[in-house]
Amino acid sequence: MPASTHRATLDPARLLVGPALTPMAFVRAMVDAYEARGLRPDGALKAAHIAPADVRKTGARITAAQMEAVSDAAMRELDDEGLGCFSRALPWGSYGMLARASLSAPTLGLALRRWCRHHSLLTDDLQLSLETTGDRACIALRPHRRPTPPTEFCVVSVLRNIHGLASWYVDSRIPLRGARFPYAPPPHVDAYRVLFDGPCSFGAEHAAIEFDASYLALPMRRDEVSMNLLLQRALPLTVRSYRRDRLLVRRVRQVLAAQPLDAHNADDLAALLNVSARTLHRQLKEEGASLQTLKDEVRRQRATELLLRTRRPIKQVAQDSGFRNEKSFIRAFRGWTGRSPGEWRSEHAP
């Protein structure tokens, strides 16, 4: 999503630092774009410290910094921010203009709708749309007015672009509930666990990323000044993952309520949320909450609802509320209410 006239400056010594997780197949797609225009990619490969002989090696990988460097150089040399993905080149600054056009939206939902709508002004090869169903939001990518389906590199680039920009708009990591792709699993399918932090499926009717619809209501947290700074070096948004999550407390409550038996401890819960246990505790603390407090709130609400609205035995209420046994449930319930579950039910029964 670059749009600045300032060339990204990357320390060559840092290009090879970090794990090499990005598939070389994406670099091959850029090289193909050069060859289709009768140009040589030598300069872009050199800028990223990628040996030309490695480009065609099956299974080869590069670091995130190398991906950033080769993409930046290729976009400038080809004057195409689409890197050959579309039937027409997208001149330098196209995605920056698209980002600016959405910046004034009051909420993320409206910004994403604008972005999807305006993307068709850049190219009509794709149709992008923001769709919601219940508590799920989906950014769908479908081919449009082009006989051949979009390439893997195109699909991944566009979806990573909008996901990264959306996270930046609201200054929050937006974890994915899932991602789907209209092609068979590629040889480097393991890389998708890094590219998309949610369950990935292949052979779908069209490409899409899904996330919690609650994020659509978040207010935009960026202004023109921060946009200008971003566009001086925007590629990390698509190459690297955003970290902070402003809705973590809400997501923790949702998981605890929906999967009480699968979230007994911090490690299990963190795995369900696709974060580390350490990150989970740190971010909850930043939001003024603790895991134990949230667990107590959710369990108490669930338990009281079951005691009032059903005639389930106490043992079953304990299990359905996320407790391992009836004894620990009764002890916790006495701490919450001063009564045993049976006594509380009798006192509050209609």
Side-chain angles (χ1 to χ4, degrees), residues 91-112:
W92 184 259
S94 295
Y95 275 108
M97 178 183 65
L98 199 63
R100 288 184 186 279
S102 304
L103 184 63
S104 61
T107 64
L108 177 63
L110 182 55
L112 292 179

Side-chain angles (χ1 to χ4, degrees), residues 28-327:
R28 287 198 293 272
M30 298 182 207
V31 170
D32 291 343
Y34 273 92
E35 294 176 350
R37 301 179 192 184
L39 301 174
R40 295 185 60 82
D42 303 39
L45 296 177
K46 183 177 180 180
H49 285 219
I50 297 174
D54 291 341
V55 172
R56 301 294 173 183
K57 287 184 178 179
T58 302
R61 305 291 175 97
I62 59 174
T63 67
Q66 286 178 293
M67 184 62 179
E68 181 183 348
V70 70
S71 299
D72 176 74
M75 285 179 182
R76 294 173 186 278
E77 292 179 352
L78 297 173
D79 192 22
D80 180 10
E81 290 188 353
L83 292 171
C85 288
F86 306 113
S87 54
R88 60 178 293 267
L90 305 187
W92 184 259
S94 295
Y95 275 108
M97 178 183 65
L98 199 63
R100 288 184 186 279
S102 304
L103 184 63
S104 61
T107 64
L108 177 63
L110 182 55
L112 292 179
R113 287 187 173 88
R114 286 182 183 175
W115 194 94
C116 290
R117 183 172 65 251
H118 293 157
H119 194 276
S120 63
L121 300 178
L122 299 181
T123 173
D124 61 3
D125 291 347
L126 303 176
Q127 183 180 39
L128 286 155
S129 59
L130 174 63
E131 304 164 5
T132 57
T133 303
D135 64 349
R136 287 179 175 264
C138 166
I139 297 177
L141 183 158
R142 299 178 175 89
H144 185 59
R145 296 185 182 180
R146 192 173 185 181
T148 57
T151 64
E152 179 200 9
F153 181 52
C154 176
V155 170
V156 170
S157 297
V158 172
L159 292 181
R160 287 275 296 176
N161 189 326
I162 185 56
H163 184 213
L165 180 64
S167 297
W168 180 83
Y169 273 149
V170 294
D171 189 24
S172 173
R173 174 177 175 264
I174 301 178
L176 298 181
R177 287 188 169 188
R180 55 183 183 269
F181 306 93
Y183 43 77
H188 45 266
V189 66
D190 61 301
Y192 278 68
R193 293 196 299 268
V194 178
L195 296 168
F196 301 93
D197 64 342
C200 294
S201 60
F202 298 86
E205 183 179 352
H206 61 268
I209 52 175
E210 293 186 357
F211 53 94
D212 193 319
S214 300
Y215 288 92
L216 299 179
L218 286 180
M220 299 282 276
R221 295 180 176 271
R222 304 298 186 174
D223 56 19
E224 191 68 25
V225 174
S226 56
M227 175 65 75
N228 290 336
L229 291 174
L230 170 73
L231 294 180
Q232 291 181 27
R233 191 180 170 194
L235 279 168
L237 280 187
T238 60
V239 174
R240 308 170 193 271
S241 297
Y242 216 85
R243 294 187 179 276
R244 180 186 175 90
D245 183 356
R246 292 189 177 276
L247 290 185
L248 188 61
V249 166
R250 182 183 301 180
R251 292 178 59 229
V252 167
R253 286 196 179 102
Q254 290 173 339
V255 172
L256 290 173
Q259 300 172 259
L261 300 180
D262 299 326
H264 281 297
N265 56 55
D267 290 334
D268 293 341
L269 178 60
L272 291 171
L273 294 169
N274 293 312
V275 299
S276 68
R278 183 177 180 181
T279 297
L280 173 65
H281 285 300
R282 186 185 70 250
Q283 292 190 2
L284 287 178
K285 183 178 180 180
E286 290 174 356
E287 296 183 41
S290 73
L291 179 55
Q292 188 59 53
T293 299
L294 293 175
K295 289 173 69 173
D296 287 343
E297 289 176 0
V298 172
R299 287 175 170 180
R300 177 177 179 174
Q301 181 179 1
R302 175 68 171 165
T304 54
E305 287 178 354
L306 291 174
L307 289 171
L308 284 177
R309 298 179 183 178
T310 75
R311 301 309 302 170
R312 297 178 190 177
I314 301 301
K315 183 176 182 179
Q316 187 176 349
V317 172
Q319 182 178 4
D320 292 344
S321 300
F323 287 86
R324 291 186 182 276
N325 57 65
E326 183 178 357
K327 185 176 180 179

